């Protein structure tokens, strides 16, 4: 991942990167997180890797840090072992990041314990047009509410 991160740092034309299902660990992911917000990427898919909350939070920190220059608008962190703590931190940290229009976090470990807080955060973020959370431990009523919000 370090070599990929170095190559990305010099990238000026690549707009999409899909490194899903590559057994990326939190350590390898940290190299990518450091450079991703400073690239020209608009779409980043790291789904089906072993990230967890800490790695997911690092992405939030780095995107927020370079938010004024980052072009990232679509992110896919599906099946990355993200839990309640990770998604809450991510959404709160990026509440001021206006470029994010799509966030896919399906098939993770997000529970119904944080449904109300998630809905509050998402309702405030008018730029987020797609939020995929299927396959988490979220109630049908909460999923219906997400659908209502994103039908705006």
């Amino acid at each position: 991942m370090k070599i990929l991160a170095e190559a990305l740092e010099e990238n000026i034309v690549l707009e999409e990167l899909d490194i899903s299902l590559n057994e990326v660990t939190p350590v390898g992911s940290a190299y990518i997180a450091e450079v991703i917000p400073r690239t020209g990427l608009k779409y980043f898919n790291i789904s089906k890797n072993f990230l967890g909350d800490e790695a997911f939070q690092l992405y939030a920190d780095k995107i927020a840090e370079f938010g004024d220059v980052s072009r990232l608008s679509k992110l896919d962190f599906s099946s990355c072992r993200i839990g309640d703590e990770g998604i809450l931190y991510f959404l709160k940290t990026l509440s001021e990041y206006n470029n994010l229009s799509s966030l896919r976090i399906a098939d993770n470990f997000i529970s119904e314990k944080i449904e109300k807080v998630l809905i509050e955060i998402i309702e405030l973020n008018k730029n987020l047009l797609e939020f995929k959370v299927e396959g988490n431990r979220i109630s049908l009523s909460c999923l219906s509410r997400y659908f209502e919000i994103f039908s705006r």
Side-chain angles (χ1 to χ4, degrees):
M1 286 295 117
K2 186 175 182 180
I3 294 169
L4 177 59
E6 289 170 358
L8 284 171
E9 208 162 18
E10 297 179 19
N11 165 58
I12 56 171
V13 293
L14 189 67
E15 292 187 352
E16 296 183 7
L17 178 65
D18 185 335
I19 56 172
S20 61
L21 200 60
N22 274 297
E23 298 182 11
V24 178
T25 64
V27 173
S29 176
Y31 292 113
I32 303 295
E34 288 289 332
V35 300
I36 277 292
R38 297 178 298 188
T39 67
L41 290 176
K42 293 179 181 178
Y43 172 72
F44 177 57
N45 182 348
I46 192 169
S47 64
K48 299 176 184 164
N49 285 293
F50 311 114
L51 302 185
D53 286 341
E54 280 187 35
F56 191 53
Q57 291 169 350
L58 179 60
Y59 279 96
D61 289 338
K62 293 303 174 182
I63 293 169
E65 181 180 344
F66 295 98
D68 55 336
V69 295
S70 181
R71 295 176 57 205
L72 285 170
S73 60
K74 295 182 179 186
L75 301 172
D76 191 341
F77 286 91
S78 299
S79 301
C80 286
R81 300 181 180 182
I82 297 164
D84 295 346
E85 184 181 323
I87 188 59
L88 286 176
Y89 183 88
F90 189 90
L91 289 173
K92 287 178 182 175
T93 303
L94 294 180
S95 63
E96 301 294 319
Y97 181 66
N98 294 325
N99 290 348
L100 187 62
S101 62
S102 174
L103 178 60
R104 294 173 175 258
I105 51 167
D107 299 317
N108 280 294
F109 302 121
I110 300 164
S111 75
E112 60 189 27
K113 295 178 197 172
I114 62 165
E115 288 178 351
K116 288 182 182 180
V117 177
L118 272 181
I119 288 172
E120 290 172 10
I121 293 170
I122 289 166
E123 283 182 322
L124 294 174
N125 189 336
K126 302 295 184 202
N127 296 313
L128 193 60
L129 304 174
E130 179 184 45
F131 186 65
K132 297 292 182 185
V133 291
E134 298 85 2
N136 287 288
R137 295 171 282 179
I138 295 175
S139 70
L140 288 176
S141 63
C142 186
L143 290 174
S144 296
R145 183 67 186 120
Y146 291 143
F147 183 74
E148 287 174 25
I149 292 169
F150 293 108
S151 296
R152 54 183 173 202

